[in-house]
Amino acid sequence: MQRLWTLQEGRLAQRVYFQFADGPVELRKLFNSILQQAFPSRAALAANTEITMSYRAIKFHTFVEQKEILKGLYEGIIATRDAVMSRGLSKDSDEALCLSTLMDLDPTPVINAPDNEDEKMKALWAMIPKVPLSLVFSRAPRKLPIPGFCWAPSSFRDPIPHDIHDWWAGPDELWKRIEAEPTESGLLVELPGLILRSTHAKDGWSNALDMGSNYIFQLPDSRWIGLGLGEPWSQLTKGTNPEKSPEPMALILQNNSLTERVHENFNKSTVIANDIPSKGLLVGLVASVKRVENNEYYVAGLQHAQVMELPPNVSTMFSAAVSAAHKLWERLTPESPDPEVIKECITVAKEAMLDRKVLDACRNQRRGAGVDESDDEICI
């Protein structure tokens, strides 16, 4: 149960026995008997399904019998990860070789790769034609430090997750979408996203609405989203600060629930170049845009993120604030910060904020916070 090589020996053998005190039991015979018996309870169903998955997990290809037996439970790479993550090796570079035989892949490219753990894992990933889309958002602590393959976890083992979500492979709901294609340029995926631009700040988002590691952006249809930056996408992107970059950033999202109503979203193929979970929150990836070519966005992953659409009332108030700010910028210049200009700016801003929709939104927010005052001056 602790060694990766013994798992391979058991999986590749024609007949496998478990020796008990009262005699040996053949695994295949046990497996077949499980499939034929009626499940007496939900607990037995869960236990037998787990045994079935563990037995079949290391087969990478989805056979007809596996589809029938496991239905939607079979997840290929993810099941392999579950089977091997607690096992050890004396030599880490053996992992890719062992996995290639377990997955029914030709081990020759792995054998011929340089005797280096990362190079051998690159050879393994390069042989797999399609991988789960969830790997775009993988939070594996170590990824391959190789251009074009920084999206790929450098090991199927460790760490063992402490909760139900194993973020080694990203969001659960994307596990079964085996649609991402490894290429020498990066991981080719098709996911919804947005381009983040800083309208008035020359040095990124920091001069806009800076709220620590959280930022807000206005969508083309006037809705607002909140974006919280998370940990680096890989060990190579530690210390990067996408919020300070003047360059356009791509925000790749796990689904289109946010962008389906946006007129200027991009939902095209994206090549993620790699040379460098609660309700209402979307998993995202902030990446720098390298180039756009033939309707494909080439981007480099930087940081994990979580995204949420702000409530309508809050969006209304932010829109009013932006409108007021634009009018202030038109009047206030460094050359003329005299009291009369400042007074005029305050008047203009107040007029913008006294819009009926803004006041109604403000009152609703105050009621929600348990404040009864409805005076317009207090609201402003």
Side-chain angles (χ1 to χ4, degrees), residues 3 7 16 20 63 86 91 118 130 159 182 253 312 333 362 379:
R3 303 291 294 168
L7 175 64
V16 180
F20 292 93
F63 300 114
S86 62
K91 189 178 180 182
D118 291 336
K130 298 284 185 178
L253 299 169
T333 64
C362 178
C379 197

Side-chain angles (χ1 to χ4, degrees), residues 16-36:
V16 180
Y17 290 84
F18 285 90
Q19 180 64 49
F20 292 93
D22 55 352
V25 176
E26 186 180 3
L27 181 59
R28 183 172 293 277
K29 182 178 179 181
L30 176 65
F31 176 75
N32 291 335
S33 69
I34 289 174
L35 297 181
Q36 295 167 6

Side-chain angles (χ1 to χ4, degrees), residues 146-218:
I146 300 173
F149 285 87
C150 286
W151 56 267
S154 57
S155 174
F156 276 56
R157 301 173 293 133
D158 295 333
I160 299 174
H162 296 292
D163 56 33
I164 193 170
H165 299 287
D166 181 3
W167 282 96
W168 178 89
D172 297 6
E173 57 268 35
L174 293 182
W175 283 6
K176 296 179 180 67
R177 291 182 59 185
I178 314 295
E179 301 167 9
E181 179 183 344
T183 74
E184 288 296 325
S185 299
L187 189 64
L188 181 64
V189 304
E190 187 169 338
L191 284 167
L194 298 163
I195 296 295
L196 304 178
R197 291 187 176 91
S198 184
T199 305
H200 291 283
K202 293 183 179 180
D203 56 347
W205 314 335
S206 299
N207 287 352
L209 289 166
D210 187 353
M211 297 149 59
S213 61
N214 301 309
Y215 298 85
I216 62 169
F217 293 88
Q218 188 175 26

Side-chain angles (χ1 to χ4, degrees), residues 55-66:
Y55 181 76
R56 291 293 191 185
I58 350 301
K59 280 289 186 184
F60 175 71
H61 301 294
T62 305
F63 300 114
V64 175
E65 61 173 336
Q66 288 173 320

Side-chain angles (χ1 to χ4, degrees), residues 229-261:
L229 291 176
E231 63 270 22
W233 190 53
S234 76
Q235 65 269 30
L236 296 185
T237 62
K238 287 183 179 178
T240 56
N241 300 106
E243 73 278 12
K244 295 181 180 179
S245 172
E247 302 298 325
M249 292 286 164
L251 174 60
I252 301 172
L253 299 169
Q254 68 181 94
N255 61 49
N256 65 356
S257 61
L258 181 67
T259 60
E260 57 190 2
R261 291 181 285 146

